[in-house]
Amino acid sequence: MSEDTSNEDEQHVHRHGEGHLSGRRPRLTGWILTMFTALVVVAVGFVGVVLGHSKAGTTSTITVTGSGTVQGTPDTINFQIGVSTVNPTATAALSDNDNKVRALEAALLKNGVTRKEMQTSGLNIYDNTNNQGVVTGFTVEDTLNVTMHKVQRASVAIDAAARAVGNGVQLNGVSFTITNDSSLLRAARIRAMDNARLAAGQLAKAGDAHVTRIVKITDNENQSSGTYYQPVATGASLRASVPIQTGSQPVNVQVTVVYSLAN
């Protein structure tokens, strides 16, 4: 074969290859453009979701605590009253104590205390010894926990119980509570919310913002109790008139309020 003929064949092959390559370019370019467009659409959609969550999560809030206190008169009294009996034998001490406790209960029932308001809170029997450790007798103590809703009759009831028992009577701490406190709590809550709203407004104004709405309220009810402690007394030291002053008692409510803010 001549050299001219070889060159012609090589030129024919080269032009034929160029023809095939030039025919593939439009299809390849179109595929690349389609994929790029799809990626742009997906990317734009993803950014929109993230921005939506970001806007919802950037709400400014302020949390404050407000307190409200009102005074009320106690309507319930609680006290512990019991009998202590000493006897040379345990059985005799227990028998004597039982009789005195029955007399104590009867006196309470006649003076405004109901059976539902009395509950045995302690019953103890222990021996008494001298310096040499020799048993000299036995002591029995029986105590009642009394809750009276007729506060004005408590003084008479305690006096009658002491007289019925005699020198063996024991009187422990006296405490007062407010059981019918719904109206007091309502007033205390209103004051607490007013104080919380005032504090939130002042803080927001100081930060060049203003309160828009309430997001969350937590009610932290806290009723205080006033207690009067009567020292342990015996029948000989109790007077005919037992002075009991109920005084007043605070009812306190605390609220934690979360407000949203706007500039």
Side-chain angles (χ1 to χ4, degrees), residues 9-224:
D9 291 339
E10 290 178 359
Q11 292 175 359
H12 175 73
V13 171
H14 179 69
R15 287 194 300 270
H16 182 71
E18 287 180 351
H20 284 291
L21 290 175
S22 61
R24 290 174 184 172
R25 281 174 185 160
R27 289 196 298 270
L28 181 59
T29 303
W31 179 80
I32 292 174
L33 289 175
T34 302
M35 290 300 296
F36 178 76
T37 303
L39 289 173
V40 171
V41 172
V42 172
V44 171
F46 179 72
V47 171
V49 172
V50 172
L51 291 177
H53 284 294
S54 298
K55 290 180 180 179
T58 57
T59 302
S60 298
T61 60
I62 184 174
T63 302
V64 295
T65 298
S67 179
T69 302
V70 296
Q71 297 289 332
T73 301
D75 56 13
T76 303
I77 183 173
N78 178 270
F79 58 89
Q80 288 187 333
I81 190 167
V83 180
S84 176
T85 304
V86 180
N87 204 281
T89 66
T91 55
L94 182 60
S95 178
D96 189 14
N97 191 273
D98 289 345
N99 292 332
K100 291 181 179 180
V101 170
R102 292 189 184 96
L104 182 145
E105 291 176 349
L108 293 174
L109 291 170
K110 289 180 182 179
N111 290 277
V113 181
T114 65
R115 290 197 177 275
K116 290 183 178 180
E117 294 175 333
M118 293 188 298
Q119 185 179 46
T120 300
S121 59
L123 178 59
N124 302 299
I125 303 176
Y126 54 89
D127 58 356
N128 305 315
T129 59
N130 58 21
N131 294 334
Q132 288 73 38
V134 179
V135 176
T136 60
F138 292 85
T139 298
V140 176
E141 293 179 347
D142 195 342
T143 306
L144 292 176
N145 187 62
V146 181
T147 301
M148 290 187 68
H149 297 286
K150 298 177 181 179
V151 179
Q152 67 279 6
R153 300 191 65 180
S155 178
V156 176
I158 292 173
D159 180 71
R163 289 176 179 274
V165 174
N167 290 342
V169 68
Q170 291 185 327
L171 176 63
N172 296 321
V174 176
S175 62
F176 299 95
T177 56
I178 301 175
T179 55
N180 186 19
D181 60 356
S182 57
S183 60
L184 296 174
L185 286 173
R186 181 169 58 252
R189 287 191 179 100
I190 292 174
R191 292 187 180 183
M193 287 298 297
D194 289 342
N195 291 333
R197 188 180 303 108
L198 178 62
Q202 292 174 344
L203 291 172
K205 185 177 181 180
D208 295 329
H210 64 273
V211 175
T212 57
R213 64 183 182 86
I214 294 176
V215 177
K216 182 181 179 181
I217 301 176
T218 303
D219 187 352
N220 308 313
E221 179 184 326
N222 179 25
Q223 178 176 324
S224 303

